[in-house]
Amino acid sequence: MHVASMRELVDILRAERHLESSSYKALLECDNESVVAYLHEQAREVAQGVFGRGIFVRGLVELTNVCHNDCYYCGIRKSNSNVERYILTTEQVLQSCQQGYELGFRTFVLQGGELPRDKAQWLVELVSEIRQRWSDCAITLSLGEWPREVYEALKHAGADRYLLRHESHNAEHYAKLHPADMSLTNRLQCLTWLKELGYQVGTGIMVGSPWQSLDNIMEDIEFIEQFKPQMIGLGPFVPQHDTPFGKSATGSAALTCKLYSIFRLMFPNALIPSTTAINTIDTNGRIKGIMAGANVVMPNLSPASVRSNYALYDGKAITNAEAAEGIAQLETQLATIGYHIDWSRGDFNQCKINN
Ligand code: 5AD
């Protein structure tokens, strides 16, 4: 397709927030620099129309690397015997939140592997304690698949948001990434429950996961288009050496950024993080993500002693601007592109579309 018509696709996507399947594919395949730059520029403009030049920050607390799942891509899968397992104590979590609160964070993200089901009550009490101590903060959970009742109890305890990437909307591809006891159907059921329960819901994929085709990504785009999540989490796949995919190819930062832009144009007010994974494979990845339309970053608030044990993939950036202590560095980095941290809670509904 000609450069002019490719630009037109970007214009149509911006105006209509939707493209035909073949046009998404054309954009994903396009490596013409000026078209890609135009796509990013349009997405950035749309993001600025909604959020200005503010970037929301979320304090990430890596609650546990204990997981009963065995996802082939993930460094904390249960059959990786080289992981020193931990579950933070209630006290450690509260201390991390306290430290985060003092730094200015108003969203805490509790992320972790899938704990044994008998830990549900502890999770509910933990959320309830955080809710009581910091009533002005948003609580986001990213703790995998649970029965509906548990999601409901966590919501009642005070959780506001839930992140659960669908990982792939193609059942065959999903089955290549996960063992037989996990299913796309259950994943999607969980996402539906979370929405019904009134959570702000995030979903998404790893870009360049093994066997992922562009057609698979188009299916993911179509799913996200109809599911309309409030948050969209995308990062490149990064191999972890102790997993079955340890020697697979790393995902592409450029394709990840294209997807940030496409989703920004589809959903002007979505919360789209420029993820740790993109910053891991490209030292300037986080900034590139923001320049492509992402508007959230998630610095790490976990106790320093456990950070190296939460290795979902190799080379994960755990210090400097990735860590909450590196906030000053993050501010400086953002300032170089004319952006700043927006310290508000940054709820989905708080943002007005005025583009
Ligand atoms: N590379 C990139 N992302 C990964 N995740 C898990 N393992 C990897 C990996 N090897 C992502 C998954 C999960 C999120 C918490 O981390 O998409 O949903």
Side-chain angles (χ1 to χ4, degrees):
M1 224 186 268
H2 285 128
V3 167
S5 42
M6 289 301 296
R7 282 175 168 246
E8 232 169 86
L9 287 186
V10 176
D11 294 337
I12 296 170
L13 179 55
R14 180 171 177 173
E16 298 181 5
R17 296 177 191 166
H18 169 77
L19 286 176
E20 277 175 26
S21 192
S22 59
S23 305
Y24 284 124
K25 192 167 190 183
L27 275 183
L28 292 173
E29 278 172 339
C30 172
D31 55 7
N32 178 289
E33 272 179 38
S34 77
V35 173
V36 175
Y38 185 66
L39 172 68
H40 294 333
E41 180 192 300
Q42 294 300 303
R44 209 157 59 229
E45 243 181 64
V46 167
Q48 285 173 13
V50 182
F51 306 101
R53 287 172 165 261
I55 298 296
F56 294 126
V57 287
R58 319 299 198 192
L60 184 66
V61 180
E62 293 158 340
L63 190 67
T64 180
N65 63 3
V66 172
C67 191
H68 61 214
N69 285 332
D70 218 15
C71 309
Y72 302 138
Y73 46 84
C74 182
I76 64 168
R77 64 199 299 266
K78 76 166 170 212
S79 54
N80 183 1
S81 54
N82 292 331
V83 179
E84 200 184 309
R85 305 285 169 172
Y86 73 87
I87 304 178
L88 294 184
T89 62
T90 301
E91 210 36 53
Q92 279 178 309
V93 175
L94 296 174
Q95 267 170 23
S96 302
C97 294
Q98 180 59 35
Q99 192 198 349
Y101 192 86
E102 285 165 14
L103 286 164
F105 287 89
R106 292 298 176 267
T107 292
F108 304 124
V109 182
L110 303 187
Q111 185 175 81
E114 279 187 31
L115 285 169
R117 305 288 101 163
D118 63 7
K119 288 276 188 252
Q121 191 49 35
W122 173 68
L123 289 172
V124 170
E125 284 159 20
L126 183 63
V127 167
S128 164
E129 187 63 34
I130 296 172
R131 171 50 60 238
Q132 276 167 43
R133 291 203 191 191
W134 297 286
S135 57
D136 55 335
C137 292
I139 302 172
T140 304
L141 303 177
S142 176
L143 301 168
E145 298 178 17
W146 288 86
R148 193 184 199 278
E149 303 75 58
V150 175
Y151 287 147
E152 189 170 13
L154 290 164
K155 183 78 179 53
H156 285 146
D160 305 283
R161 311 181 186 144
Y162 206 104
L163 306 174
L164 183 69
R165 291 188 183 169
H166 66 285
E167 314 292 2
S168 171
H169 197 259
N170 178 284
E172 258 171 58
H173 182 229
Y174 189 93
K176 288 183 176 166
L177 302 178
H178 302 96
D181 62 346
M182 291 180 73
S183 76
L184 176 61
T185 314
N186 197 53
R187 196 78 167 179
L188 299 176
Q189 175 63 262
C190 288
L191 284 166
T192 304
W193 287 334
L194 290 163
K195 242 195 173 171
E196 285 169 4
L197 289 165
Y199 282 94
Q200 293 170 54
V201 181
T203 196
I205 59 165
M206 292 176 288
V207 179
S209 60
W211 293 294
Q212 182 187 61
S213 63
L214 277 191
D215 287 316
N216 291 151
I217 297 182
M218 280 151 55
E219 290 174 68
D220 294 319
I221 292 177
E222 273 156 30
F223 164 64
I224 289 177
E225 187 158 47
Q226 57 92 8
F227 184 70
K228 301 184 179 37
Q230 285 83 15
M231 303 170 281
I232 302 168
L234 310 167
F237 164 74
V238 187
Q240 200 284 345
H241 61 278
D242 288 320
T243 64
F245 295 157
K247 294 204 160 40
S248 302
T250 300
S252 142
L255 186 56
T256 304
C257 283
K258 261 195 213 170
L259 285 163
Y260 289 157
S261 296
I262 289 174
F263 284 119
R264 173 60 63 212
L265 293 174
M266 290 168 69
F267 296 105
N269 54 351
L271 299 158
I272 304 179
S274 187
T275 50
T276 304
I278 195 171
N279 214 40
T280 296
I281 64 160
D282 182 327
T283 47
N284 202 30
R286 182 160 45 201
I287 293 297
K288 287 184 184 166
I290 291 167
M291 298 300 277
N295 73 314
V296 176
V297 298
M298 298 170 65
N300 198 328
L301 283 180
S302 308
S305 59
V306 304
R307 280 184 203 174
S308 60
N309 294 325
Y310 196 81
L312 306 188
Y313 43 80
D314 290 338
K316 187 175 150 221
I318 57 168
T319 52
N320 301 325
E322 265 328 311
E325 314 84 83
I327 275 299
Q329 192 178 328
L330 174 62
E331 300 236 60
T332 311
Q333 218 186 5
L334 292 178
T336 60
I337 52 167
Y339 283 68
H340 57 268
I341 294 177
D342 181 332
W343 288 105
S344 65
R345 265 175 63 132
D347 283 286
F348 178 76
N349 299 326
Q350 194 185 300
C351 313
K352 270 211 205 84
I353 308 183
N354 52 14
N355 59 308

